[in-house]
Amino acid sequence: MGKLTTHVLDTMHGSPAAGMAVRLYRMDASGSPQLLHSLTLNADGRAPAPLLEGEAFQPGRYRLVFAAAAYFKSRAVALPEPAFLDEVPLDFGIADAGSHYHVPLLLSPWSYSTYRGS
Protein backbone atom coordinates (compact mmCIF):
# COMPACT_ATOMS: atom_id res chain seq x y z
CA MET A 1 0.00 0.00 0.00
CA GLY A 2 1.19 3.50 -0.78
CA LYS A 3 1.48 6.51 1.47
CA LEU A 4 2.26 10.23 1.47
CA THR A 5 4.87 11.71 3.82
CA THR A 6 6.69 15.03 4.14
CA HIS A 7 9.43 16.76 6.05
CA VAL A 8 11.05 20.19 6.05
CA LEU A 9 14.69 21.13 6.50
CA ASP A 10 15.49 24.69 7.58
CA THR A 11 18.56 25.49 5.48
CA MET A 12 19.10 28.83 7.23
CA HIS A 13 19.71 27.17 10.59
CA GLY A 14 20.84 23.77 9.33
CA SER A 15 18.12 21.95 11.25
CA PRO A 16 14.71 20.32 10.89
CA ALA A 17 11.80 22.79 10.81
CA ALA A 18 10.29 21.62 14.10
CA GLY A 19 6.96 23.24 14.90
CA MET A 20 6.12 24.38 11.36
CA ALA A 21 2.41 24.32 10.48
CA VAL A 22 1.44 22.40 7.33
CA ARG A 23 -1.87 21.89 5.55
CA LEU A 24 -2.74 19.19 3.00
CA TYR A 25 -5.45 19.69 0.38
CA ARG A 26 -6.92 17.47 -2.32
CA MET A 27 -7.82 19.36 -5.47
CA ASP A 28 -11.36 18.53 -6.62
CA ALA A 29 -12.46 18.14 -10.25
CA SER A 30 -12.92 21.92 -10.60
CA GLY A 31 -9.42 22.60 -9.21
CA SER A 32 -10.69 23.87 -5.85
CA PRO A 33 -8.70 22.78 -2.79
CA GLN A 34 -10.43 20.64 -0.17
CA LEU A 35 -8.65 20.62 3.21
CA LEU A 36 -7.72 17.11 4.38
CA HIS A 37 -5.28 17.74 7.25
CA SER A 38 -3.70 20.49 9.32
CA LEU A 39 -0.66 19.48 11.34
CA THR A 40 2.50 20.62 13.07
CA LEU A 41 5.87 19.09 12.21
CA ASN A 42 7.62 17.17 14.99
CA ALA A 43 11.15 17.69 16.39
CA ASP A 44 12.59 15.94 13.31
CA GLY A 45 10.72 18.32 10.98
CA ARG A 46 8.43 15.48 9.89
CA ALA A 47 4.71 14.87 9.97
CA PRO A 48 4.05 12.64 12.99
CA ALA A 49 2.30 10.06 10.77
CA PRO A 50 1.72 9.53 7.04
CA LEU A 51 -0.48 12.29 5.63
CA LEU A 52 -2.34 9.76 3.51
CA GLU A 53 -2.31 5.97 3.55
CA GLY A 54 -4.65 3.04 3.06
CA GLU A 55 -8.01 3.87 1.49
CA ALA A 56 -7.33 7.63 1.82
CA PHE A 57 -4.26 7.38 -0.44
CA GLN A 58 -5.73 7.84 -3.91
CA PRO A 59 -4.43 9.11 -7.24
CA GLY A 60 -5.16 12.77 -7.86
CA ARG A 61 -3.91 16.33 -7.51
CA TYR A 62 -2.80 17.55 -4.08
CA ARG A 63 -1.38 20.66 -2.46
CA LEU A 64 0.84 20.98 0.61
CA VAL A 65 1.01 24.46 2.16
CA PHE A 66 3.92 25.22 4.49
CA ALA A 67 3.69 28.21 6.88
CA ALA A 68 7.21 29.50 6.19
CA ALA A 69 7.03 33.09 7.51
CA ALA A 70 5.28 32.08 10.73
CA TYR A 71 7.93 29.41 11.31
CA PHE A 72 10.87 31.80 10.78
CA LYS A 73 9.23 34.47 12.95
CA SER A 74 8.91 31.85 15.71
CA ARG A 75 12.69 31.35 15.38
CA ALA A 76 13.19 35.14 15.87
CA VAL A 77 14.35 35.68 12.29
CA ALA A 78 13.93 39.34 11.28
CA LEU A 79 11.77 39.29 8.16
CA PRO A 80 10.61 42.22 6.03
CA GLU A 81 6.92 43.06 6.07
CA PRO A 82 5.50 41.49 4.07
CA ALA A 83 7.82 38.48 4.17
CA PHE A 84 9.31 37.39 0.85
CA LEU A 85 7.97 33.85 1.42
CA ASP A 86 4.84 33.68 3.53
CA GLU A 87 3.16 30.38 2.78
CA VAL A 88 4.80 27.97 0.35
CA PRO A 89 2.28 25.95 -1.69
CA LEU A 90 3.49 22.79 -3.43
CA ASP A 91 1.11 21.31 -6.00
CA PHE A 92 1.83 17.73 -7.02
CA GLY A 93 0.15 14.65 -8.42
CA ILE A 94 -0.16 11.12 -7.15
CA ALA A 95 -0.44 8.68 -10.04
CA ASP A 96 0.35 5.34 -8.37
CA ALA A 97 -1.60 4.47 -5.21
CA GLY A 98 0.83 1.61 -4.56
CA SER A 99 3.91 3.82 -4.19
CA HIS A 100 5.43 5.89 -1.42
CA TYR A 101 5.32 9.60 -2.26
CA HIS A 102 7.63 11.61 -0.04
CA VAL A 103 7.55 15.40 -0.55
CA PRO A 104 10.43 17.11 1.29
CA LEU A 105 10.97 20.86 1.40
CA LEU A 106 14.34 22.58 1.78
CA LEU A 107 13.59 26.09 3.01
CA SER A 108 15.12 29.45 3.92
CA PRO A 109 13.37 32.83 4.25
CA TRP A 110 14.45 33.58 0.66
CA SER A 111 14.22 30.31 -1.27
CA TYR A 112 12.97 26.75 -1.33
CA SER A 113 13.30 23.54 -3.31
CA THR A 114 11.53 20.23 -3.35
CA TYR A 115 11.71 16.84 -5.04
CA ARG A 116 10.04 13.46 -4.89
CA GLY A 117 11.94 11.61 -2.23
CA SER A 118 11.77 8.04 -1.04
Side-chain angles (χ1 to χ4, degrees), residues 16-85:
M20 179 179 284
V22 179
R23 298 185 313 274
L24 172 66
Y25 298 87
R26 178 176 287 133
M27 310 307 281
D28 68 18
S30 70
S32 297
Q34 305 300 312
L35 181 65
L36 299 178
H37 296 292
S38 293
L39 61 126
T40 302
L41 299 180
N42 65 20
D44 197 31
R46 296 178 182 275
L51 300 172
L52 295 172
E53 63 183 336
E55 293 295 317
F57 188 72
Q58 299 175 9
R61 302 290 314 157
Y62 293 86
R63 175 178 295 156
L64 280 166
V65 180
F66 300 89
Y71 164 77
F72 284 111
K73 287 177 184 177
S74 77
R75 298 279 319 254
V77 174
L79 299 176
E81 190 58 46
F84 180 68
L85 295 176

Side-chain angles (χ1 to χ4, degrees), residues 77-113:
V77 174
L79 299 176
E81 190 58 46
F84 180 68
L85 295 176
D86 183 11
E87 292 194 324
V88 174
L90 297 180
D91 289 2
F92 60 96
I94 292 175
D96 179 4
S99 292
H100 179 190
Y101 283 72
H102 183 64
V103 183
L105 181 68
L106 307 175
L107 179 68
S108 84
W110 311 108
S111 67
Y112 65 90
S113 65

